[in-house]
C-alpha cells in the first residue's frame, strides 16, 4: 500500500501501526504503550515508512537511540598517522632468495649437521674411502738358550697398524674391514716321547682370534683410534703356552697376513674383493742333544722384521 505525502502520512501512522494477528511476536504496539520490539518496528517500517516510525518512537520513548535495538557502532579506520605504522609496499617486493650456503641446517640421524634437503635435491654425499697404509713391526722375545729342565717363554712380539689416509675424517673402524690370518707349525719333544722323538703339529690358515671387527679393545690387544687400528700380538709359547719342565721346542714357524676391504653397509664381511698383504714369517730353531738331554742349547730366532705397505683397495 502506498502512503500519501504530508498529512496523510501522519494519519496513516496513527491507524496502521499494528502487526498482523498471526505475527510470531506476542504484543501489538501502540504509541505510549511501551517499548517496541524489533519485529514490530520492521512491520511498521514496511507500512508507514521510516520517517513516521522515527517520529512515533521519539514521542513514545523520549530522547534516546533512534533505532529499534542497539546495534554495534561502526568503527572508522584509523589514519596512518593515528596508528603510528609506517607505510609499506603493496604488494611487497619479492623476498630475496636465500643463497645455498645460507640455508639452515638440520641434524641427520647420525647426530651431525647436514645440508637441508628440498624437493629432489640429494643429501651430502658420504666421504670417499681412500687407500690406507699398513705398517708392521716385530721382534723376538725370549731367551738366548733353551733347557729341558726349566720353564721358558719363547716367542715374538708384533704390531700391525692400519692407518687411514691423511685428510680423511671417517673413523678407520667405520671405513675398513681389517683382519689378521695366521698359520703355524711346530716340532716339540714331550716328556713321554720315545727316544726324544719330536711330535709335529700344524694349523691351516684361519682368522686369528680377536684380530678382526668389531675391534674389541677390552683385553688390550687392539687399539681402536679414529685414524688407525692396531693389532698387538705375541705369537709363540708364552703365558699358559710356555715351554714347561720336560718340554723342548725343536722348531717353530708362524706366518701372518692381513686383509683389508672397504666396509659394506656397516657390517663385517670377509668376502672378496679385498687386499692381502705379503706373508710375514717368524722362525725358531733349537737343536736338542739326545745324547745329553740335560744340556742347554742355543735358540736361533728370526723375526719377520718391520715393513710398510701402501694398500690398494680393489673396486
Amino acid at each position: 500500500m502506498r502512503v500519501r505525502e504530508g498529512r496523510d502520512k501522519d494519519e496513516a501512522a496513527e491507524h496502521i501501526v499494528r502487526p498482523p494477528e498471526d505475527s510470531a511476536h506476542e504484543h501489538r504496539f501502540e504509541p505510549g504503550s511501551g517499548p517496541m520490539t524489533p519485529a514490530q518496528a520492521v512491520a511498521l517500517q514496511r507500512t508507514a515508512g521510516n520517517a513516521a516510525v522515527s517520529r512515533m518512537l521519539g514521542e513514545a520513548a523520549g530522547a534516546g537511540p533512534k533505532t529499534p535495538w542497539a546495534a554495534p557502532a561502526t568503527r572508522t579506520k584509523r589514519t596512518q598517522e593515528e596508528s603510528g605504522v609506517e607505510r609499506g609496499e603493496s604488494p611487497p617486493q619479492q623476498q630475496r632468495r636465500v643463497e645455498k650456503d645460507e640455508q639452515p641446517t638440520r641434524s641427520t640421524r647420525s647426530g651431525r649437521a647436514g645440508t637441508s634437503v628440498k624437493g629432489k635435491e640429494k643429501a651430502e654425499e658420504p666421504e670417499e674411502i681412500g687407500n690406507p697404509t699398513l705398517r708392521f713391526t716385530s721382534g723376538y722375545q725370549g731367551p738366548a738358550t733353551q733347557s729341558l729342565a726349566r720353564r721358558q717363554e719363547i716367542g715374538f712380539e708384533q704390531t700391525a697398524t692400519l692407518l687411514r689416509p691423511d685428510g680423511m675424517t671417517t673413523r678407520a673402524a667405520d671405513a675398513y674391514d681389517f683382519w689378521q690370518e695366521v698359520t703355524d707349525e711346530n716340532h716339540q719333544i714331550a716328556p713321554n716321547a720315545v727316544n726324544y722323538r719330536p711330535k709335529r703339529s700344524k694349523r691351516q690358515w684361519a682368522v686369528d682370534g680377536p684380530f678382526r671387527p668389531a675391534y674389541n679393545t677390552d683385553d688390550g690387544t687392539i687399539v681402536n683410534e679414529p685414524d688407525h687400528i692396531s693389532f698387538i700380538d705375541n705369537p709363540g709359547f708364552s703365558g699358559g703356552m710356555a715351554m714347561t719342565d720336560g718340554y723342548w721346542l725343536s722348531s717353530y714357524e708362524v706366518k701372518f697376513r692381513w686383509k683389508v676391504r672397504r666396509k659394506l653397509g656397516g657390517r663385517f664381511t670377509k668376502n672378496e674383493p679385498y687386499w692381502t698383504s705379503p706373508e710375514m714369517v717368524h722362525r725358531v730353531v733349537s737343536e736338542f742333544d739326545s745324547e745329553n738331554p740335560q744340556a742347554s742349547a742355543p735358540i736361533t730366532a728370526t723375526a719377520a722384521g718391520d715393513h710398510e705397505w701402501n694398500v690398494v683397495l680393489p673396486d
Side-chain angles (χ1 to χ4, degrees):
M1 177 179 67
R2 184 176 180 181
V3 181
R4 290 177 297 173
E5 300 293 335
R7 178 180 175 185
D8 293 340
K9 288 183 181 179
D10 297 337
E11 293 175 355
E14 295 177 0
H15 299 287
I16 300 175
V17 183
R18 292 183 179 87
E21 294 294 336
D22 58 351
S23 172
H25 301 278
E26 298 178 357
H27 304 289
R28 296 178 180 178
F29 174 78
E30 294 181 3
S33 62
M36 180 184 296
T37 66
Q40 291 170 338
V42 171
L44 183 59
Q45 286 173 321
R46 290 175 179 173
T47 55
N50 288 332
V53 172
S54 297
R55 186 167 55 253
M56 292 177 65
L57 290 174
E59 294 172 357
K66 303 300 181 181
T67 56
W69 61 90
T74 302
R75 184 175 182 179
T76 58
K77 289 185 177 181
R78 292 187 296 169
T79 63
Q80 183 178 350
E81 290 73 21
E82 292 172 339
S83 64
V85 178
E86 295 182 0
R87 181 183 299 275
E89 297 177 348
S90 181
Q93 292 182 356
Q94 184 177 2
Q95 185 176 2
R96 182 174 64 90
R97 188 172 185 178
V98 179
E99 297 296 334
K100 183 177 181 181
D101 57 356
E102 296 178 2
Q103 293 180 358
T105 60
R106 61 177 176 83
S107 294
T108 63
R109 293 181 179 177
S110 66
R112 297 186 296 177
T115 304
S116 59
V117 180
K118 295 182 179 180
K120 296 183 178 179
E121 294 180 6
K122 293 183 178 179
E124 185 178 350
E125 292 294 330
E127 181 180 37
E128 182 178 353
I129 304 304
N131 290 320
T133 299
L134 178 58
R135 186 175 298 155
F136 175 73
T137 60
S138 66
Y140 173 69
Q141 189 177 45
T145 61
Q146 182 175 197
S147 174
L148 190 64
R150 65 177 181 266
R151 182 181 185 276
Q152 292 180 303
E153 296 192 2
I154 303 173
F156 299 86
E157 58 181 355
Q158 66 181 45
T159 301
T161 299
L162 186 73
L163 301 100
R164 70 184 181 188
D166 293 339
M168 201 175 89
T169 59
T170 303
R171 289 184 64 93
D174 296 332
Y176 307 107
D177 287 329
F178 173 44
W179 67 99
Q180 177 174 291
E181 295 181 346
V182 62
T183 181
D184 64 2
E185 180 179 351
N186 71 83
H187 293 77
Q188 292 185 37
I189 299 173
N192 59 354
V194 177
N195 298 325
Y196 299 104
R197 182 176 300 173
K199 182 179 180 180
R200 177 176 178 262
S201 176
K202 183 176 182 178
R203 293 186 303 171
Q204 301 299 320
W205 282 104
V207 176
D208 186 21
F211 300 110
R212 52 175 287 176
Y215 312 120
N216 191 333
T217 60
D218 292 343
D219 61 2
T221 60
I222 296 179
V223 175
N224 185 354
E225 295 292 336
D227 64 336
H228 72 274
I229 304 162
S230 293
F231 294 159
I232 304 171
D233 198 2
N234 294 95
F237 297 86
S238 59
M241 297 292 294
M243 306 304 298
T244 57
D245 186 8
Y247 285 84
W248 185 279
L249 181 62
S250 298
S251 66
Y252 173 53
E253 181 180 271
V254 57
K255 297 180 181 179
F256 291 90
R257 66 188 180 196
W258 296 269
K259 293 184 177 180
V260 185
R261 63 162 302 144
R262 293 183 181 89
K263 190 174 290 293
L264 296 180
R267 62 187 180 87
F268 170 49
T269 174
K270 295 180 291 182
N271 296 335
E272 294 188 30
Y274 47 72
W275 175 89
T276 304
S277 74
E279 295 177 4
M280 294 292 97
V281 183
H282 305 307
R283 292 186 177 93
V284 168
V285 175
S286 183
E287 295 290 340
F288 179 76
D289 185 358
S290 60
E291 299 295 330
N292 188 10
Q294 301 304 318
S296 297
I299 296 175
T300 302
T302 306
D306 301 340
H307 301 271
E308 185 172 299
W309 303 279
N310 294 319
V311 177
V312 180
L313 296 175
D315 295 330

